[in-house]
Amino acid sequence: MSVTTAGSALDRLRALGLELPTLADSPYYVDHRAVGSSIHIAGQLPYKDGVLLGQGIVGRDVGLETAREHARHAALNCLAAAVQAVGDLDRVRIVQMLVFVASTPDFGLQSRVANAASELLIEVLGENGRHARTAIGVAGLPANTPVEIQMICTAV
């Protein structure tokens, strides 16, 4: 995968046909919290226009390509939270990403699901989108979603 630097991060996002979503407020948690220079992004689900894109367990109810699309949308929601924290997409640098995949015990392709989110971050942020990452298979996630993503980022 090549890392592009042409135009702004927002231009690259729009070239992919994407916009930063507006995140719904929660009375129970915040979408981001700064601790020193680190910004911790709360786990984001694959909501698009306020609607959860799907439910189920990857490897049983949800196929690999669908799970990858969910991961891209969850990462997009993480970017929206990061922009809330730092004010500008060009100032976001991803440090670490945790990708939780609700999957069958024998699925084993959690990293391929996570790759879709990583690819989006690199396409949009260039070198600032490269990150340390963990992909974890879990028995279940909130709202029965197949994917949840949590990030740590910093402002540049």
Side-chain angles (χ1 to χ4, degrees), residues 12 22-23 30-31 55 59 70 93 108 113 115 120 122 127 133 138 152-153 155:
R12 291 188 296 272
T22 301
L23 301 177
V30 294
D31 286 311
Q55 295 181 308
H70 291 328
R93 176 180 290 151
V113 174
N115 285 349
L120 175 69
I122 294 167
E127 194 59 34
R133 186 186 84 191
V138 297
I152 300 172
C153 59

Side-chain angles (χ1 to χ4, degrees), residues 93-145:
R93 176 180 290 151
I94 309 303
V95 176
Q96 182 181 33
M97 180 170 66
L98 301 174
V99 180
F100 301 93
V101 181
S103 53
T104 60
D106 63 341
F107 178 65
L109 298 175
Q110 291 83 0
S111 63
R112 295 218 16 227
V113 174
N115 285 349
S118 295
E119 290 162 2
L120 175 69
L121 295 173
I122 294 167
E123 286 175 308
V124 172
L125 300 176
E127 194 59 34
N128 286 336
R130 292 176 50 82
H131 51 274
R133 186 186 84 191
T134 302
I136 304 165
V138 297
L141 290 167
N144 196 28
T145 185

